[in-house]
Structure formats: C-alpha cells, structure tokens
Amino acid sequence: MSRVRFEGTESYVATPDLIVAVNAAVALERPLLIKGEPGTGKSVLAHEVARALGAPLIEWHVKSTTKAQHGLYEYDAVRRLRDGQLGDPAVHDVANYIVRGKLWEAFDSDVRPVLLIDEVDKADIEFPNDLLLELDRMEFWVHETRTTVRARQRPIVIVTSNNEKELPDAFLRRCFFHWIRFPDPETMAKIVKTHFPGLKKQLLHEALTSFYELRETPGLTKRPTTSELIDWIKLLVVEDIDPVTLRSRDGKTTLPPLAGALLKNEQDVHLFERLAFLHRRQTS
C-alpha cells in the first residue's frame, strides 16, 4: 500500500497535532476518532483529508435510529413482494433487492476512499460495538445471497463524536483518538483569513476580541462556534460595520452588533439583558 500523508489544505487550517493524528491513524490502519465541541471542524476534516489525498469521500451520517446493519446493506423484502405480485421476473434473483450501505460502498471502491462515520454517539450505545468485526476484518457476510463482501482496499475511516454519550471501551481500543481543541485567537485568525483573505486587520482584531469575550461570559448556555463567527464576520463586512463600534462596547455587558449570528437561544440573550441592567444600576 502506498504511503499517504495529510498536511492540511489551503482552506482548512490543521494544527500540527491534528496532522499527526490523521497520519498516525492512516499508518496504523485504524479508525480516527475525533471529538470536540460543535463547530471545531470535525466533520469538515474528512472532506479536507479526502481532498488533500485525492480520495473519494463516502459519508455516513448517523441518526438516533441508525443501526450498524444499515451501513452494510438492507434487504428490501417489501419491494420484492410487490414485484412478485406484479409478475416481475426480477424476483427470482434476491440480489436485486439488496440495498448497499455506506460501508459496502467503501469496501467496493476502486480507489481507496475516506469513510466518514459522522456523529457516532447519536445512535444506540451498541452501534459502535456492532461494527467492530467489520472494521477489523474489512469484510462481512450477506445472508440473503450467501456471499462475503471484502474490502478491495482498507478505507481511511474517520469517526466523529460530540461526546453526548460514552463510547464502548472495545470500540475505543480499536481507534486512534484525537480531541480537537477550540482554536486559540492566533489559529482562529488564520481560519478567518482563509474565508476572508482581504479582511482589514483592525476589523479582524476587534471581531475576534468581541467573539472571545462573548464566549467567556459566565452562564452562557451555548457558546458560539467557529462557523458562527464566520457568519458574523460576513455580516460585519456586508453591513460595513465600523471596527470602532466593536471596540467601544462593553464586552461583558452588551451585545455586539448583529449578535443574532452568534447567540442562538433566548436564554443567552436574556443573560446579556440582565448583565446590562445590573451594569447600569452599578454605574448610575
């Protein structure tokens, strides 16, 4: 197998420790388990790894109702029954009613793919364990056709989790783990510049200062993420907001302009309203 290395892309600022984690998982031929708070680029990482390596990307978005079997295949017995009632000759070959899942699609790829198993912790606690055998052996048995599906080459598997529930130890042992830390201001500035190359330094500085002040407000129920910062800066540019406006506000008691791009629930808006009220009482 040819050795491949991920070094980041022009549109994705990967920290050195993240680059090491991706390449370690590829070298070990183990799934890369990525955790981190929402908005830190966990899912986007798979897209960028696929782009950097010139590999096809296969995405399996996990839901609360997702079962491991869905990733292998599903047998459409209802359609076969209906076709039988209509006299369709296709009913004589059960293979016509096998619907391939994302794992089968990855196993059958002519080119080594990147398989994203997104938000694995949304499913039932047994979901990760039910995939252990297939991810270890890179094969599975199709009962209806009595055939074995084997991977043409081992896909690069990236698994994301929002840490909503603990994952089984047996699954964790088979993964290479990496926690994506929320970007510090220096890294965040690089991320913003990839989206807004011509952004004025003063606006970038004031926007990041306001953003981190808001994130650090005690009692905030949902801290704004990187994607929300990008949306906010886009609005600041579109509305031609003067950076002085951001600098002049009291970051601990008042909201920045267009704050609806950053705060997404009424509890946090009310928090700032109370802080502003208390601030006025103290200064009056």
Side-chain angles (χ1 to χ4, degrees), residues 58-238:
I58 298 171
E59 301 177 74
W60 185 8
H61 298 287
V62 177
K63 302 177 181 179
S64 59
T65 56
T66 301
K67 304 296 182 185
Q69 182 64 34
H70 297 159
L72 307 181
Y73 69 93
E74 293 182 76
Y75 170 53
D76 194 344
V78 174
R79 186 163 67 92
R80 191 182 189 191
L81 176 61
R82 185 180 65 246
D83 288 351
Q85 292 171 340
L86 296 174
D88 192 324
V91 298
H92 300 298
D93 186 356
V94 69
N96 293 324
Y97 303 93
I98 299 296
V99 182
R100 298 184 178 190
K102 296 297 183 179
L103 204 60
W104 189 334
E105 187 179 337
F107 283 6
D108 204 39
S109 176
D110 292 327
V111 180
R112 188 185 192 192
V114 174
L115 172 62
L116 169 63
I117 304 177
D118 198 27
E119 298 188 325
V120 68
D121 52 331
K122 277 189 173 181
D124 183 87
I125 190 63
E126 293 303 320
F127 173 79
N129 276 343
D130 290 342
L131 286 176
L132 289 180
L133 186 62
E134 288 76 18
L135 291 177
D136 274 348
R137 296 185 178 180
M138 285 287 132
E139 65 178 39
F140 60 88
W141 174 254
V142 182
H143 297 278
E144 289 76 7
T145 61
R146 305 193 64 81
T147 57
T148 299
V149 175
R150 294 186 176 88
R152 298 188 180 187
Q153 50 259 315
R154 181 177 288 268
I156 297 170
V157 181
I158 296 178
V159 183
T160 71
S161 168
N162 285 327
N163 223 20
E164 294 181 3
K165 63 169 69 84
E166 291 295 325
L167 299 176
D169 289 344
F171 181 77
L172 295 176
R173 283 196 299 271
R174 288 166 170 80
C175 296
F176 189 94
F177 172 75
H178 181 73
W179 174 271
I180 296 186
R181 302 179 185 278
F182 195 84
D184 57 28
E186 182 180 354
T187 303
M188 187 66 84
K190 294 178 181 177
I191 293 172
V192 171
K193 287 177 182 177
T194 65
H195 293 270
F196 307 99
L199 191 66
K200 295 179 180 179
K201 290 183 179 180
Q202 185 182 8
L203 180 57
L204 174 62
H205 173 74
E206 300 299 344
L208 288 180
T209 300
S210 295
F211 173 75
Y212 279 97
E213 283 179 351
L214 191 151
R215 268 186 60 88
E216 293 165 7
T217 302
L220 206 63
T221 58
K222 182 187 181 304
R223 297 192 294 177
T225 65
T226 304
S227 61
E228 289 156 347
L229 171 64
I230 299 301
D231 288 344
W232 183 53
I233 291 179
K234 182 177 181 179
L235 289 176
L236 295 179
V237 172
V238 169

